[in-house]
Structure formats: C-alpha cells, structure tokens
Amino acid sequence: MTLAVESPPYEGHEGDTERDMWICRFAPHQPGAWGPHRHHQHQIAWVSEGLTTAVVGSRTWVLPPTRALFIPAHLPHDLVNRPPAALHCLYVWPHACPLEWTEPTVVPVGSLLRELLLALAGPELSTVEESARALFFGLVGAEPDPGVAVPLPADPRARAVAARLSATPRTRGRWRTGPWSWARA
C-alpha cells in the first residue's frame, strides 16, 4: 500500500519572474494564516508593527518588529499575524541571494535595515535593485540573531497550557482572573 502525501502548494506572485527581489506588503488588518505553502524564492518575513507568528515544520517563531525570519526556498511554512500587524515579505530568487542559509534563520532588524525594508516596498526598487540588494544582504548577513529556542514541554498538561498561550497570547492576563487559573490549567 502506498500512501500519497500531499506537499504544500507553491505560491507565486504576479510579476515574480521579472525581478530578482521584491516585497509584498499586507495591511495591518490582514490575519495571514494562508495555510502551509512554499515558494520557489527565499522569503524574509518581517512586521513593521505588531506581531506575526512563523511556523516552519515543527518550529514556531513569534516575530516583533525587531526580528525577521529568513525562510529558505521550498520550505513549507505559514505566517499568522496578530492584527494589527503590518507584514512585509521580501522575496529573492536563490541565484540572486548571497546567503547560503539552508535553515530558517532569525535576523535582527535594526533602524537601518528597518528603513531599507520600508523603502524597498516602493516602486523605485526597480531602479536601484542591485545596490539595494547588496546593502540589504550586507546588513542581513553580517550577524544572524541566535534567537531564543524554547521547546514545548513534554508533560501533556504543561504542553496544553503552552499551546493555549501560544494560540492566544493576549489572554495571558485573563488567566489569573477569568474562568481559567494557573492552578486549574
């Protein structure tokens, strides 16, 4: 018996074969959560405001505006925003990317990289694409952020609490006074 395993679909973007690098912006009210998908290009996910959660395989990252996530081409992933969250996704074809990262990598976003990401989303990118790409990857490749790896608890009770907190992070304060309490969780 052979089991057919469906791979997540590849998502493309209009005009994605015309440039080596581009940015898609999503409005702060858009929740993301497109479901597992992948791209032929590398993707760098970043929010200029709010939070987004990136899920790649069994790993999850919560990304504030000071962190971005490099997602290598072909890796199935999903991005779930916590509205309001202004998501910016930079895409770059592997042949045009000097980074040789094969795993998702957290990238610190300082003030210069932030302003560059905001500027790259404009129509003028096509006129300065090569120099912008060199500056961008010079900043990104300089020092990857080691991040914080927090494994989920092994105990099923603690894992249930962690899953609930991960799913609804804004409710943490209500756990102390609402129908849930830490003692009952």
Side-chain angles (χ1 to χ4, degrees):
M1 174 179 188
T2 303
L3 292 176
V5 176
E6 277 191 43
S7 294
Y10 278 96
E11 294 291 330
H13 299 277
E14 187 176 327
D16 65 4
T17 59
E18 298 168 12
R19 294 188 281 180
D20 285 338
M21 183 172 85
W22 67 96
I23 288 184
C24 290
R25 284 180 161 172
F26 300 91
H29 67 275
Q30 291 181 294
W34 295 275
H37 64 282
R38 53 193 171 155
H39 306 278
H40 292 287
Q41 308 85 5
H42 299 310
Q43 178 178 358
I44 296 176
W46 171 70
V47 290
S48 57
E49 61 181 88
L51 295 171
T52 193
T53 300
V55 180
V56 183
S58 64
R59 297 184 65 192
T60 300
W61 293 264
V62 176
L63 303 170
T66 57
R67 299 287 182 264
L69 184 66
F70 175 89
I71 304 168
H74 313 291
L75 273 183
H77 64 278
D78 195 12
L79 297 168
V80 181
N81 297 333
R82 305 285 186 216
L87 177 64
H88 305 254
C89 293
L90 182 138
Y91 299 93
V92 61
W93 287 98
H95 74 267
C97 180
L99 304 174
E100 296 181 6
W101 298 341
T102 58
E103 295 292 324
T105 304
V106 175
V107 175
V109 177
S111 56
L112 180 56
L113 186 55
R114 173 189 166 76
E115 294 304 317
L116 182 58
L117 281 165
L118 291 171
L120 289 177
E124 58 278 351
L125 171 61
S126 59
T127 59
V128 295
E129 182 179 338
E130 190 173 325
S131 57
R133 190 172 56 245
L135 176 57
F136 179 83
F137 287 110
L139 293 170
V140 167
E143 183 179 334
D145 185 345
V148 177
V150 181
L152 286 174
D155 183 293
R157 296 166 297 175
R159 192 177 194 92
V161 171
R164 185 173 168 116
L165 284 172
S166 296
T168 54
R170 290 185 181 174
T171 62
R172 281 181 279 192
R174 291 187 296 199
W175 279 47
R176 288 186 213 106
T177 59
W180 280 83
S181 71
W182 288 109
R184 288 192 287 165

